[in-house]
Amino acid sequence: MAEPRVFPLSCAVQQYAWGKRGSNSEVARLLASSDPLARISEDKPYAEELAEKLHLQAPEHYPDANHKPEMAIALTSFQGLCGFRPVAEILTFLKKVPEFQLLIGDDAATQLKQSVSSDPQTVAEALRSCFSHLMKSEKTTVVVQLNLLVKRISQQVSAGNNMDDICGQLLLRLHQQYPGDIGCFAIYFLNLLTLKPGEAMFLEANVPHAYLEGDCVECMACSDNTVRAGLTPKFIDVPTLCDMLSYTPSPSKDRLFPPSQSQEDPYLFIYDPPVPDFTVMKMEVPGSVIEYKILVLDSASILLVLKGTVTASSPTAQAPIRLQRGSVLFIGANESVTLKLTTPEDLLLFRACCLLEQQ
C-alpha cells in the first residue's frame, strides 16, 4: 500500500521560559483544542520558537549550520522590535536619555552624529561602535543607569506626565520583566513595531529583533540557531551578536511585510519573503462557503487551523480527515485537498510551503 501523502500531524509544544503561562497562552489553547487528552499546566510557559561558523565553534548553543530568516504574522495586536532605527531617531534618544548616552560614551555618540551625511559603510561602522559600547557595558554600570532611568520615568508618570517620547511605559514594562537587563536599552536602538492582526514583519538573517507582546504565527528557515544578548533567560553571546549584526538603519515602516492577494482565490493571501526557504499563505474563508479547495503546490506544505472545523479529503487519503482549531495537516507535493465546512463558522488557516516554481 502506498504511503499516505496527506495526513494529520501530532505536534510538540515547547515550554520556553519566555512563553505565556497556562491558559493565557494561545499555543496551549490550540494544543488543548486539537488534543482532548492534553492537559494545560497553569504554571508552565508555552511557546513555539555565520551559522556554519557558530555551529563549528559552539554546537551546544548553535546546533546546526543554517541561517535563520523568519517571519511573524500577527494574530492579535502584536508588538516587537525589529532592525535598527534611523540614525536621527537614535541621536534624539541620546539627547533625551542621559542614562543611555552615558553607556554609549561621548566618543561613540560623536562618531554616530558625524556619520549622518556620510556613506552607508561609515554609518554602519558608527552604529556598530555605539551598539557594541552599550552591549559590552559593565553589568554594575548598566544596573545603576537603568535604575536611575526607571526612577526618573516612574516619577514623571506618577506626576501625570507623558513619557512616550522616550518609550517610558515600554521601558518600565521591560524592566519589570527583566530587571537590570541591558536589553531594556535596546528600545532606543531598534524600531518598535505594533502590528494589527494579519500584518507581518520579515526578519532577514542577522537583523536584531525581539518579540515583546501579543500572539503571532511564526515561520522560519530550518534552523535552531539564535544569537541572544538580552531580554531572555537563555544563553547570551554578546561578542558574536555585535560582530554578526546587519547595521543598516531603516524606518519602521520598511520592516512591515504586506501580503499579496491571490488573483485566483479571493480568500488567499500570500506572504512571500525574498528568501527561498519558505512562504506563508493565509486563508480566511467565510462560513457561508460550504467547500473550499486548497491551492495545489509543487512542494510539500503544512497547514495549521486557527479557526473553524472542517473535513479534509484527498484522492490519496484513505478517509476524510477531521480538522479543528489547533489541527495540523501535512500535504504532499502536487496533492489536491478539499475542505468541507462542518459548521457555518469562518475559517482561518495558515500554510507554510516553498513556491518552487518561482525560484
Side-chain angles (χ1 to χ4, degrees):
M1 182 179 294
E3 291 290 330
R5 294 178 53 80
V6 177
F7 52 87
L9 298 176
S10 178
C11 299
V13 172
Q14 302 293 348
Q15 293 181 333
Y16 296 145
W18 46 261
K20 292 183 180 180
R21 293 185 179 275
S23 300
N24 290 324
S25 167
E26 177 72 1
V27 173
R29 293 195 297 269
L30 288 172
L31 173 65
S33 177
S34 64
D35 182 0
L37 298 180
R39 294 292 179 266
I40 298 176
S41 298
E42 296 299 333
D43 61 339
K44 291 183 179 180
Y46 294 82
E48 286 291 334
E49 197 206 88
L50 345 172
E52 188 170 345
K53 179 180 177 182
L54 295 176
H55 174 59
L56 291 173
Q57 291 178 342
E60 70 277 19
H61 299 304
Y62 307 109
D64 57 70
N66 301 328
H67 72 159
K68 195 181 182 183
E70 54 193 81
M71 174 180 289
I73 304 171
L75 295 176
T76 62
S77 178
F78 183 84
Q79 193 175 63
L81 301 172
C82 181
F84 284 100
R85 294 175 179 268
V87 171
E89 294 182 17
I90 299 172
L91 291 174
T92 297
F93 286 127
L94 286 170
K95 290 180 181 178
K96 293 185 175 183
V97 187
E99 300 86 354
F100 179 48
Q101 160 78 36
L102 186 143
L103 294 174
I104 299 300
D106 292 339
D107 292 344
T110 299
Q111 181 185 357
L112 185 64
K113 185 176 181 180
Q114 293 175 344
S115 75
V116 171
S117 57
S118 303
D119 60 276
Q121 183 176 349
T122 300
V123 172
E125 290 174 355
L127 195 51
R128 177 198 294 267
S129 177
C130 281
F131 188 74
S132 297
H133 272 82
L134 171 68
M135 299 308 296
K136 295 177 182 179
S137 298
E138 290 290 336
K139 175 67 174 179
T140 54
T141 305
V142 171
V143 171
V144 168
Q145 295 305 314
L146 187 53
N147 286 340
L148 287 173
L149 179 57
V150 167
K151 181 179 179 181
R152 182 162 63 87
I153 292 176
S154 298
Q155 290 174 340
Q156 292 293 324
V157 170
S158 297
N161 296 323
N162 189 314
M163 301 300 288
D164 289 348
D165 61 333
I166 60 170
C167 305
Q169 294 289 358
L170 175 59
L171 191 284
L172 294 180
R173 175 157 55 90
L174 292 180
H175 181 260
Q176 184 178 29
Q177 295 174 341
Y178 299 97
D181 195 303
I182 185 67
C184 294
F185 282 105
I187 62 177
Y188 300 128
F189 271 117
L190 306 181
N191 286 304
L192 177 63
L193 275 71
T194 300
L195 305 180
K196 300 174 184 177
E199 291 186 328
M201 59 181 181
F202 171 66
L203 318 167
E204 303 98 327
N206 301 336
V207 170
H209 65 278
Y211 297 159
L212 302 179
E213 186 176 40
D215 295 318
C216 73
V217 167
E218 183 184 36
C219 188
M220 63 187 69
C222 187
S223 171
D224 198 29
N225 293 322
T226 302
V227 183
R228 305 173 182 87
L231 301 182
T232 177
K234 287 192 169 187
F235 173 71
I236 288 177
D237 190 349
V238 170
T240 296
L241 184 81
C242 292
D243 288 343
M244 65 170 276
L245 289 182
S246 171
Y247 293 94
T248 304
S250 62
S252 58
K253 63 180 178 62
D254 290 355
R255 292 294 168 184
L256 293 174
F257 195 84
S260 60
Q261 186 167 8
S262 170
Q263 296 181 352
E264 296 82 16
D265 183 346
Y267 311 128
L268 176 62
F269 298 84
I270 303 171
Y271 302 81
D272 189 22
V275 293
D277 304 81
F278 62 84
T279 295
V280 178
M281 296 180 174
K282 181 183 71 170
M283 289 148 278
E284 293 182 294
V285 184
S288 57
V289 174
I290 299 175
E291 186 174 279
Y292 177 70
K293 292 186 177 181
I294 293 179
L295 182 67
V296 176
L297 299 174
D298 58 0
S299 79
S301 61
I302 297 174
L303 183 75
L304 170 65
V305 180
L306 266 294
K307 185 179 179 181
T309 304
V310 300
T311 55
S313 58
S314 169
T316 61
Q318 297 180 3
I321 302 169
R322 186 176 186 274
L323 302 175
Q324 59 190 22
R325 175 174 153 79
S327 296
V328 180
L329 186 71
F330 175 85
I331 304 174
N334 302 307
E335 286 297 311
S336 173
V337 175
T338 300
L339 303 180
K340 289 186 178 181
L341 280 70
T342 56
T343 60
E345 179 185 9
D346 295 349
L347 283 181
L348 177 59
L349 313 167
F350 284 88
R351 186 183 189 187
C353 62
C354 288
L355 296 182
L356 300 178
E357 71 276 6
Q358 296 185 10
Q359 306 307 325

